[in-house]
Amino acid sequence: MGGKPAPAHHRDRRLLPRLEAAVPGIRAVSTYRREWLVKDLVAGVVLTTLLVPQGMAYAELAGLPAITGLYTTVLCLLGYAVCGPSRILVLGPDSALGPMIAATVLPLVAADGDPDRAVALASVLALMVGAIMILASVAKLGFIADLISKPTMIGYMNGLALTILIGQLPKLFGFKVEADSLIGEFTGFVTGLADGAAVPAAAAVGLGGIVVVLVLQRFLPKVPAVLVMVVLAMTAAVLLDLGDRGVSLVGQLPEGFPPFTVPDVRLSDLPLLLGGALGIALVSLADTISNASAFAARTGQEVHGNQEMTGVGVANLAAGLFQGFPVSTSGSRTAVAERAGARTQLTGVVGAALIVLMLVLVPGLFRDLPQPALAAVVITASLSLADVPGAVRLWRQSRTEFLLCCAAFLGVALLGVLPGIAIAVALSVLNVFRRAWWPYRTVLGRVPDLEGYHDVRSYPQARQLPGLVVYRFDAPLFFANAKTFRDEIRRLAAADPPPTWIVVAAEPMTDVDTTAADVLEDLDEELNARGVHLVFAELKDPVRRKIERFELTRTIDPGHFFPTVGAAVTAFRRLTGADWTDRDG
């Protein structure tokens, strides 16, 4: 007999947790507390004062009309509020992504710089980034963010900060430079200054804006520095007629909100856009995981890396369908929301609603905003990207990692931001490979009054057993380092007098591949012919099973595998009667 179907209310109770897990916004609404409302509303108002100028500034940094930054901000906030797991993480246009978007989109724009085509390309880029993030989430590929090591990320960000800074200098001084490289932009800026192209009023606004933001952030961190600077700049523009003094203004923004739009681009553009989308997704992923981890630790939440990727992916999809461009999480905006008392994603929803009201009711609110003020916003943001103390610390702690940092920096500065991110990833992977290729290896000895067996480099007084060498190789044994291992063992076996046993302290060996297995087989036969035995201690069970599967026990005596180094040493002493001697004895 078939069972009766579950009652509808039972099915609903089973379905709701699944729905809440897939759409965190539903859980946020169902668990919302009334006492959070005022704090979220106030935080939303405060956050908006930062969202508007930064959104406009970062849009122009990406080579797009300022209005698209506001469209992007609205849609990404709403998308993340529905699908993002974090209570207070804030998304939006990002200073780190702006140059990457420009580097991807601008080469594809027609020679006349058609802004509509640029917006369409940027929207497709956002859709691609969103799709990549969601697919990565489904495949649980959050670990990809670890492909960029800290030293290479420091170098990349320092290079990016310098690129942004120099790229914004002409705008800060009121003129334009046509160049496609960092050196070209800097040369053009210096030439423009020498030729008198700078607009004094624009320079005063831009430099004054930087000073205002930095001073307020340093001494009055709770004051919305960017908003204060923007209000002062617009006031100066009106009172001093800066528009008539050669200062470029933002002008009237389009009224209303864009409709749902499927961007129309050429098929030939898609491969180049995909390359840029992969780089942007990687940086966005690393940024998201780091920001989510930092703020989750402070608020007592757990980090759901794959769900974060879904939330950021949905935010990018939403932006791309309403004339927006790729977005990421923002540490600075999240910090502002947190300090303002934000409790949930309602803060971002309030910010999005206020921006929409501004676009519908008062689109001319920012028409008198000087462009140099937007450049000041971008430049101060770029300064926060740079980590010069981190580079100095690398110089003191590890020259190798400092050189990796410098290489990533030069990659961005000399080749551009997209090649720079590729170089950063490649350097990180090569550094991992280098460590496995040339791992640390040493001989171990017994130290009086100290339990265990220890590195003779750290303990020169360590004692040895005549005829026995204990050797440690700190890496998995695979095709790239197998010959290094073989050459080291040969060197130890060539000592005068030669050892009888070479005990490999194999605890660090987490794997053995087929190439290494072949090398081990030939090495063991060679040593056996010379009366030297290769012995393994502390070999992990999975690695031991691999060795048996590779049939290495045909040459390596099964009795030469010991659970510990101590057991191997005891067996050797029982066999030979050897006793400990000083290293120079």
Side-chain angles (χ1 to χ4, degrees), residues 343-381:
R343 291 293 180 270
T344 69
Q345 285 296 327
L346 179 60
T347 295
V349 174
V350 170
L354 290 176
I355 294 174
V356 171
L357 288 176
M358 184 199 77
L359 292 174
V360 172
L361 301 179
V362 282
L365 182 62
F366 288 91
R367 66 176 179 271
D368 294 317
L369 176 59
Q371 291 283 359
L374 291 181
V377 173
V378 173
I379 288 174
T380 52

Side-chain angles (χ1 to χ4, degrees), residues 300-360:
Q301 299 180 62
E302 292 183 8
V303 177
H304 303 281
N306 291 310
Q307 205 165 40
E308 287 290 358
M309 285 191 287
T310 298
V312 176
V314 169
N316 275 282
L317 292 178
L321 292 172
F322 287 87
Q323 300 182 28
F325 52 85
V327 298
S328 181
T329 56
S330 169
S332 62
R333 275 162 279 183
T334 304
V336 167
E338 184 186 45
R339 285 198 302 266
R343 291 293 180 270
T344 69
Q345 285 296 327
L346 179 60
T347 295
V349 174
V350 170
L354 290 176
I355 294 174
V356 171
L357 288 176
M358 184 199 77
L359 292 174
V360 172

Side-chain angles (χ1 to χ4, degrees), residues 99-164:
M100 300 181 74
I101 296 168
T104 305
V105 168
L106 295 186
L108 298 175
V109 177
D112 58 356
D114 180 8
D116 291 336
R117 176 161 160 71
V119 170
L121 290 167
S123 296
V124 171
L125 195 60
L127 295 176
M128 286 183 168
V129 171
I132 291 169
M133 296 289 275
I134 291 174
L135 289 175
S137 171
V138 172
K140 302 187 185 305
L141 297 179
F143 67 90
I144 290 178
D146 298 331
L147 286 178
I148 309 181
S149 67
K150 183 70 177 291
T152 50
M153 180 56 86
I154 290 175
Y156 174 78
M157 286 300 180
N158 285 341
L160 191 61
L162 183 63
T163 300
I164 293 172

Side-chain angles (χ1 to χ4, degrees), residues 94-104 147-165 182 275-276 278-287 382 384-388 390-391 394 401-428:
D94 187 69
S95 57
L97 300 188
M100 300 181 74
I101 296 168
T104 305
L147 286 178
I148 309 181
S149 67
K150 183 70 177 291
T152 50
M153 180 56 86
I154 290 175
Y156 174 78
M157 286 300 180
N158 285 341
L160 191 61
L162 183 63
T163 300
I164 293 172
L165 176 63
L182 182 68
L278 289 170
I280 291 169
L282 180 58
V283 172
S284 180
L285 174 59
D287 205 24
S382 74
S384 68
L385 292 177
D387 186 5
V388 176
L394 288 175
E401 295 196 330
F402 176 76
L403 291 176
L404 288 173
C405 174
C406 291
F409 171 82
L410 293 173
V412 177
L414 299 180
L415 301 179
V417 290
L418 290 178
I421 190 64
I423 289 171
V425 172
L427 288 174
S428 297

Side-chain angles (χ1 to χ4, degrees), residues 446-460:
R446 186 172 180 181
V447 180
D449 302 322
L450 192 61
E451 187 177 352
Y453 297 85
H454 304 277
D455 189 342
V456 297
R457 296 175 186 171
S458 301
Y459 298 92

Side-chain angles (χ1 to χ4, degrees), residues 19-111:
L19 195 59
E20 288 181 343
V23 187
I26 295 176
R27 182 173 63 248
V29 171
S30 64
T31 59
Y32 196 83
R33 299 179 186 176
R34 184 177 300 176
E35 60 267 26
W36 292 345
L37 182 59
V38 173
K39 292 182 179 180
D40 278 339
L41 292 175
V42 172
V45 174
V46 173
L47 181 62
T48 306
T49 65
L50 186 64
L51 294 176
V52 173
Q54 281 195 344
M56 297 168 66
Y58 296 162
E60 297 204 343
L61 177 63
L64 301 167
I67 186 65
T68 60
L70 301 183
Y71 298 159
T72 301
T73 300
V74 170
L75 269 303
C76 74
L77 288 173
L78 295 177
Y80 188 82
V82 174
C83 295
S86 173
R87 288 181 182 176
I88 64 168
L89 212 58
V90 178
L91 272 66
D94 187 69
S95 57
L97 300 188
M100 300 181 74
I101 296 168
T104 305
V105 168
L106 295 186
L108 298 175
V109 177

Side-chain angles (χ1 to χ4, degrees), residues 57 60 168-175 198-211 213 229-230 233-234 237 242-243 245-250 368-380:
E60 297 204 343
Q168 291 294 306
L169 285 177
K171 184 177 176 181
L172 192 77
F173 282 77
F175 63 96
V199 177
V205 170
L207 294 173
I210 292 175
V211 171
V213 172
M229 186 272 288
V230 165
M234 289 194 298
L242 294 183
R245 296 174 182 266
V247 179
S248 177
L249 305 178
V250 169
D368 294 317
L369 176 59
Q371 291 283 359
L374 291 181
V377 173
V378 173
I379 288 174
T380 52

